[in-house]
Amino acid sequence: MNRPRPHRDPDPAAPPAGRGGDGHRATRTGAAVALLLAAACYASWLLAPVLNPGLRPVRSYLSELAARDQPYHLVFQLGDVTTGLCATVAGLLLARVAREVPRPAWWGLLVFGVATAVDGGYTSMDCAPSIDARCARLEELGELSWRHQAHTVTSSVAVAGALLSAVAVLAVLRGPARRRAGLVVAVVLAVGTVGTLVATLHPEWGLGLWQRVQLAGLSGWLLLTAAVARRGPGPERPR
């Protein structure tokens, strides 16, 4: 006699069967790949010791790597533009299919993507004020280009969008492994963001180091969001 199979609740992240389900899986996979590429490109600053060792990691903004008078600035600009485009594509895709995650997660991802692409492609800095006294003086007087002056705005908008998305993603994580990873990302991102804000007023307090911690947290958020894009917020399936 056949025994009845136990009833299992459907996985909220699992797409429906059939062509629509296959399409959703492909869309989620594409978004996850885009986010992985975004995380890799957003970490282009790790190449700084090789490509531009002149910038001091303790006091220099990471954005100065992409300043138009710096060596290999196109490498870092391309990294930002690629990050922004990938994040934008992922946000648009996930807004359609990943409905188990609050919409602000994808709105924030879109804001981050667009602002980061603009930041790398149009509003990169003219020069690096942390190592160039003349640049610092012109910046103080407001005599640099509009793109240099707009850089602060686009960078701030990008970080604000990322924080909105990160909070929404972290709030829905389920399963012990996902939650542990989320806790690590949240701590690194919070410490880096608070430290950067404080050091903005007191650059001698290690502004560059705090900003590098913040960007490490943002890369972690992109990686975690890639996992959520592919498999949903959990719980993890038994192996």
Side-chain angles (χ1 to χ4, degrees):
M1 182 176 179
N2 295 331
R3 295 182 180 180
R5 295 181 180 179
H7 174 72
R8 294 182 180 179
D9 293 332
D11 183 353
R19 291 184 178 179
D22 292 340
H24 281 193
R25 280 192 294 270
T27 299
R28 296 182 77 115
T29 299
V33 170
L35 287 168
L36 290 174
L37 181 57
C41 291
Y42 205 52
S44 63
W45 58 271
L46 293 173
L47 299 173
V50 176
L51 299 182
N52 191 351
L55 285 177
R56 296 169 291 182
V58 175
R59 298 196 62 177
S60 297
Y61 279 108
L62 284 169
S63 300
E64 293 180 73
L65 291 168
R68 288 185 290 279
D69 70 338
Q70 293 300 298
Y72 298 101
H73 65 277
L74 291 177
V75 173
F76 300 104
Q77 288 180 3
L78 180 61
D80 282 348
V81 171
T82 304
T83 296
L85 293 177
C86 288
T88 300
V89 169
L92 291 172
L93 293 176
L94 293 170
R96 294 175 50 205
V97 299
R99 297 182 180 179
E100 74 281 1
V101 179
R103 286 294 181 89
W106 315 136
W107 298 339
L109 182 60
L110 280 168
V111 170
F112 166 81
V114 172
T116 301
V118 172
D119 196 34
Y122 294 101
T123 61
S124 56
M125 301 173 74
D126 292 339
C127 49
S130 70
I131 59 172
D132 184 343
R134 179 175 180 275
C135 176
R137 180 59 176 165
L138 291 174
E139 184 180 59
E140 183 180 351
L141 295 173
E143 295 183 2
L144 295 174
S145 72
W146 70 267
R147 293 189 294 180
H148 184 104
Q149 297 179 47
H151 170 76
T152 301
V153 176
T154 53
S155 294
S156 300
V157 170
V159 171
L163 292 175
L164 172 63
S165 177
V167 169
V169 170
L170 294 171
V172 298
L173 292 178
R174 297 190 296 272
R178 291 274 176 88
R179 285 177 174 169
R180 283 194 297 270
L183 179 61
V184 171
V185 169
V187 170
V188 173
L189 188 51
V191 169
T193 300
V194 173
T196 299
L197 290 174
V198 173
T200 299
L201 302 176
H202 302 278
E204 68 277 8
W205 292 3
L207 172 62
L209 290 179
W210 290 116
Q211 193 187 28
R212 283 157 174 79
V213 172
Q214 183 188 49
L215 261 68
L218 291 175
S219 289
W221 153 68
L222 288 169
L223 291 173
L224 189 61
T225 305
V228 172
R230 180 67 182 90
R231 300 289 297 274
E236 297 152 298
R237 298 175 183 175
R239 296 181 179 179

